[in-house]
Amino acid sequence: MFRFGSGEPVVKPEFFALDNAPSKALVTFMPNVYKYVLRAADRREPARRVFSGKSARAWFESEEVLVTLSNPGSVMASSMIDIMAASGVKEVVVVGLAGSVSPKARIGNILLPSWGLREEGASYHYVPDPDYVPRPSERLRSMLATALTRRFRGRVLEGGVWSTDAPLRETLDKVVEYSRKGVLGVDMESTGLMTVASVKGVELAIALVVSDELEARR
């Protein structure tokens, strides 16, 4: 039976913290996005891995950004945000993929989660309340929406995201129910990322490219 622990963790995120980390970071789960961002930088240099994530420091004009390629899944991604917080990172933008669970979201659309439905396990170790609804930083989400809408007009959607550790248990009844509640897409990481960021005082927003359509399989 799960029990929420009390006191200090035995293995602390500070054990893995980076020295002199920049205040801003970009996290992605896609190697091609990671490579693209580094190619677009004015200058870049290797950085120590953040937990399981390959990382580099990149400069865009005078702004330094920690760019990280994370392993997928809420455990790896959420732990990475915890370690980034311990390193002094204050703002994180995440770029990932999602499956559509709604006829409103089609392949190629970009989903900006405004809230999340938790079915991954990592976030419950930070906020055990089953009624908790994770949300992104409204400031960062709004900035991201403005920038992406300018570039991808008509393709940017905002709504709920469902995160699960069990993609092979995305059953039809849940797809229908969650779609009716305003969930647009499903992934493995977003609710864990938003929960840990909120607990640790990190501003975080997420952009998910719709890569497949569960809705179309009904």
Side-chain angles (χ1 to χ4, degrees):
M1 179 69 69
F2 171 77
R3 182 174 70 82
F4 188 67
S6 61
E8 292 293 316
V10 176
V11 180
K12 299 182 179 181
E14 289 80 6
F15 296 169
F16 307 96
L18 298 179
D19 295 327
N20 302 313
S23 63
K24 298 182 179 180
L26 183 143
V27 173
T28 185
F29 308 99
M30 296 176 284
N32 58 329
V33 172
Y34 178 75
K35 293 175 183 177
Y36 175 83
V37 172
L38 293 183
R39 285 197 302 267
D42 300 319
R43 181 165 66 92
R44 59 189 178 274
E45 62 183 45
R48 184 164 60 81
R49 297 176 72 89
V50 183
F51 198 50
S52 66
K54 180 179 180 181
S55 295
R57 296 174 183 264
W59 284 261
F60 302 87
E61 296 181 353
S62 60
E63 194 76 59
E64 183 183 359
V65 178
L66 180 65
V67 183
T68 301
L69 176 64
S70 173
N71 285 335
S74 67
V75 173
M76 294 299 186
S78 300
S79 298
M80 179 175 295
I81 297 302
D82 202 341
I83 292 166
M84 284 185 173
S87 303
V89 175
K90 300 298 184 184
E91 299 179 12
V92 180
V93 170
V94 180
V95 179
L97 297 172
S100 168
V101 297
S102 168
K104 297 178 181 178
R106 293 305 186 193
I107 292 173
N109 287 161
I110 300 170
L111 168 60
L112 302 183
S114 55
W115 62 278
L117 192 158
R118 297 193 290 164
E119 282 192 0
E120 40 72 34
S123 67
Y124 287 90
H125 292 270
Y126 292 82
V127 180
D129 180 0
D131 296 323
Y132 172 76
V133 178
R135 300 183 189 278
S137 158
E138 181 57 31
R139 184 185 69 87
L140 273 190
R141 188 204 58 77
S142 179
M143 292 173 62
L144 196 57
T146 298
L148 290 174
T149 299
R150 187 181 301 120
R151 176 67 176 83
F152 302 102
R153 188 173 300 278
R155 291 170 53 190
V156 180
L157 306 171
E158 298 181 54
V161 64
W162 161 31
S163 295
T164 176
D165 287 333
L168 299 183
R169 294 300 300 162
E170 294 168 354
T171 57
L172 179 59
D173 60 329
K174 291 203 288 188
V175 170
V176 173
E177 176 187 351
Y178 296 168
S179 177
R180 288 173 178 167
K181 290 181 177 179
V183 172
L184 300 181
V186 59
D187 74 350
M188 297 176 67
E189 301 89 9
S190 288
T191 58
L193 291 167
M194 290 188 287
T195 301
V196 175
S198 179
V199 169
K200 295 294 181 173
V202 174
E203 290 196 78
L204 179 142
I206 303 169
L208 302 172
V209 179
V210 177
S211 59
D212 57 277
E213 299 176 5
L214 273 70
E215 186 275 334
R217 300 175 186 271
R218 295 181 190 178

